[in-house]
Amino acid sequence: MEKSHKIGRRFEGKVAIVTASTQGIGFSIAERLGIEGASVVISSRKQKNVDDAVEKLRGKGIETFGIVCHVSNAQQRKNLIDKTVQKYGKIDVFISNAAVNPSVDSILETQESVLDKLWEVNVKASILVLQDAAPHMTKGSSVVFISSITAFRPDPAVAMYGALAAQMAPNTRVNCVAPGFVPTHFADFLTRDAAIKQQLEDNTLLKRLGTTEDMAAATAFLASDDASYITGETLVVAGGTQSRL
């Protein structure tokens, strides 16, 4: 992570789980939390991806533990939490980054099987893994969901974050980062076309797409004690792209 300014150590002695964290935004978040002192537990569906990411993070001097976890698999979700607690004894930060984007069809043209997968991974699994984690989360702990600016346009945002914030208060804060368009593998169907990429850049006030490091910095802020009086909020990190209707 190349940064011109000095990065602090806000997560010294803390344990952070980041789901879907072997590449893209999830990896940058894990890297940022680790650079700031956290012991980071990373996960994704494939063992090789986990092993490669662990090696990269450890190469940067970050205390890292990797576990294979498909968030739709109940046993793997439980294993992620159990192994973390066995190794570190607690959970201070939980970053829910796992999501799928299996179709670009409009809602009214989306097949039922695709709707099921979207619900299963993007919504239901995020809640279920948090159910497993919640009993082990420390006082003053933090949860951050990684969502999308598209939660605001064109579809209204789901109120899940606010509901969870109320349920987990006052010991745990729950917030959400809504990234704009970041050229990762997840979004490459939008950014590999030069004309579309230019249009996306033009839609921002800062005239550029976001980076995974931009998302990691915002996530680290919400997860840190610097945001100790913020809960139930969604932070749009989109370079000034219009979001709220």
Side-chain angles (χ1 to χ4, degrees), residues 77-95:
R77 287 195 305 266
K78 185 175 185 302
N79 186 55
L80 173 66
I81 303 306
D82 288 349
K83 289 285 178 64
T84 298
V85 174
Q86 285 170 20
K87 185 169 179 63
Y88 296 114
K90 62 173 183 171
I91 303 169
D92 299 294
V93 174
F94 190 94
I95 310 296

Side-chain angles (χ1 to χ4, degrees), residues 155-170:
D155 299 316
V158 176
M160 179 175 71
Y161 311 115
L164 280 171
Q167 291 287 313
M168 300 188 75

